[in-house]
Structure formats: C-alpha cells, structure tokens
Amino acid sequence: MQSSLCSYLIIGTMLFAIASQPGVTQARTGERCFAETGFCISGRIREFWEQNGGLPVFGFPITPLTLNFVDGREITVQWFERNRLELHPENLPPYDVLLGRLGEDRLRQQGRDWRLFPQTGPQPGCRFFAETGQSVCGDILKAWRATGLEFDRKPGTSEAESLALFGLPLSGLVTETGADGRQYQVQWFERARFELHPENTPPYHVLLGLLGNELRDGGMVLQPSPADFEREVIRLTNLERTSRGLAPLREHPVLTAAARAHNDDMARNDFFSHTGSDGSQPWDRARAHGYNFSTFGENIAYGYMTPEQVVRGWMASEGHRQNILTPDFRDIGVGYHSMKRLWTMKLGASPDTQ
C-alpha cells in the first residue's frame, strides 16, 4: 500500500508536468488533417506544402511524421502521394525542408539505371540539360516551368526554383504502362515523373506520378511500425539508466498491453489524462491486465513525433525523469498510438518477475 501511494504521488506530479508543456498543444492546434488518408500536416511541413504547390504537386500525406534512413542518416520525414518531405533543422530556412529524390528512388526500385537511358541531346524549342544529356519539351516543359520552390520572393517561377522542386530530367519522353494498365508518355526527373494525359483538359493533361504511393506499394519501408517506436523508447530509456549506473529495464508484455490499451482509450474518447475514461487509475489498469506489482509508475505524453523527442521531453521534466530513473523499477512497457501521437510508459517491479 505504501508503494502504491508513492507511485500515486509520482504520477500526480507527472500529470501536472505534462499538462503544462506548451509545445505539445501547438502540435495539435497547428495541424491540417485530411480525411482522404487520415493523416495530418503541421509546422514547417505544412508551411512548405502550402507554399510550394500543395495537393497537385505533393498529393495527400500518406504517413505521419516519422524516422527514415536517407543516405545513411536517420532523419524526420513525412511521405506524400507524390513526394517525401524531409526536415533538416541543421539548415537555415528555406533549406530546412528538403525534397526526396523519388524519381531516382523509384527507378532504382524497378531495377532501372537512368544513366543507361538513351540521351535525347539538344532539340529545337526544348530546354537541354547537359548534366544528364536530356531535353525537356512541349507541355512537360511548360508544366516544369510553371511551378517551383519559392525561395527568392520574386513574382513568377524562376528556372532555379523549378529545378529545386523537380530536379534534372533523367530520361527523354518514353511510353510506359501505368497502374491502370494503360500506356502513357512520361518523362522521369530526379524528384518527379511527369505524365501526359491527353484525355484530360488543361491544365490536367500533365500530371505528376504518385511516386510516394508506388514506392510504398513496391516494398520500400516508409516508416517504422508503432512497435519499432516502442522498442526504441525502451532502448533510449535504458541508455539513460545505465549511463547513471542503474540496471536496465526488461520489457514486460503485460505492461506493454496495458500501455497500448490506455493509448487506445485516450484516442477513442479524445482525452489526455492518467485517469481512464471509466475512472480507472494507472495501477488499476496494471492490475486489471494481470500485473502484480510492489511499486509502479506511469509517464504519458502526446504530440511528440519520435522516440528521441519523447524520451528527451520526459528527461527534461522532474516527475517523468524520477520515474525513468527510479532504482527499484525492473519492468517496462511502452505504447505508441501513431495516429494521435500518444505515448504511454508503464514502469514497475513485480514479485512475480524478481
């Protein structure tokens, strides 16, 4: 009973600390969500998406913000139907958001090397790019020049801005079979695939391919699973403990199930609290799931996008840090709800697992 009371006092401190974190509220209020895919955009990603073409250029978001390995580095990205936006906080705006090279990525996924494509060479009335030996002509050239990344604050779209958005041409105009089984004339670029659709009236007779969708459907790993995020939180938590001479925690499946269930309850009933929608307290839910504890604690958070961010946030808060660094804890379970960005960590010691 004394241990439960101590845990309650720690939990009460954590609840107050979490509720008062200002940055987390902004993560929700600044979102723009799309019922078509169930995902939202916010912050610099939303600003970049809205300023540089929006839906016709990038499409709908198809993942939340997540971690991907890009060129050997782990960075925060968000995938869209037609592209991947990458956060690079080490760069000054506007270069703190960069675009993935999805045209080249998709060709590589198909086992095609653009360097082996026939080079069109210079052609009358076209824009020739000596870097790749390809020319861009006609309606595709008009579409390429019509849109670009806005970074010079001047009216119109400069060639440098178009180049920053779409990249260099990797192929000439070629005929390929689309996902619908029909043949289209297309041209590949570093960051896009332009498609001619003569069945559509202008300006929709030139469309951008859904490379983000195709890379996902073709087997490219777009995002770690929630279970991957949960395991990473445990790994980072144990790094914090072992660096201070404390024993690492063991993942306990019952605590993991209880943590995930509490996230589901908060997401389903749209609230954020240690108290469940049925009035249950953290220790009630642990016991209900079958965890017999001698001491217990819980951390919760929302709005954090990566395991690194949420562990850093907890370690910066006295109540949460106290839980993570409690010497008597032996077990841990973490739940992550990707749609609502909800995190629950349950910690404890049980005589059943000593």
Side-chain angles (χ1 to χ4, degrees), residues 284-300:
D284 299 326
R285 296 188 293 273
R287 289 194 180 104
H289 276 79
Y291 186 73
N292 177 30
F293 60 85
S294 56
T295 185
F296 184 81
E298 178 180 90
N299 287 345
I300 60 175

Side-chain angles (χ1 to χ4, degrees), residues 210-284:
L210 302 176
L211 295 180
N213 284 347
E214 292 174 19
L215 282 163
R216 176 192 61 189
D217 295 340
M220 175 169 278
V221 178
L222 299 187
Q223 60 176 340
S225 68
D228 291 331
F229 272 25
E230 292 163 0
R231 286 190 291 268
E232 181 65 5
V233 168
I234 293 174
R235 186 186 74 84
L236 294 171
T237 297
N238 279 331
L239 284 177
E240 297 290 349
R241 288 177 62 89
T242 56
S243 69
R244 293 166 173 83
L246 299 173
L249 301 172
R250 301 163 298 194
E251 182 176 5
H252 197 293
V254 173
L255 291 181
T256 298
R260 290 172 176 172
H262 186 51
N263 282 345
D264 290 341
D265 183 28
M266 290 191 290
R268 183 171 54 252
N269 294 292
D270 194 26
F271 72 97
F272 179 68
S273 172
H274 289 281
T275 302
S277 62
D278 59 355
S280 63
Q281 296 302 316
W283 51 88
D284 299 326

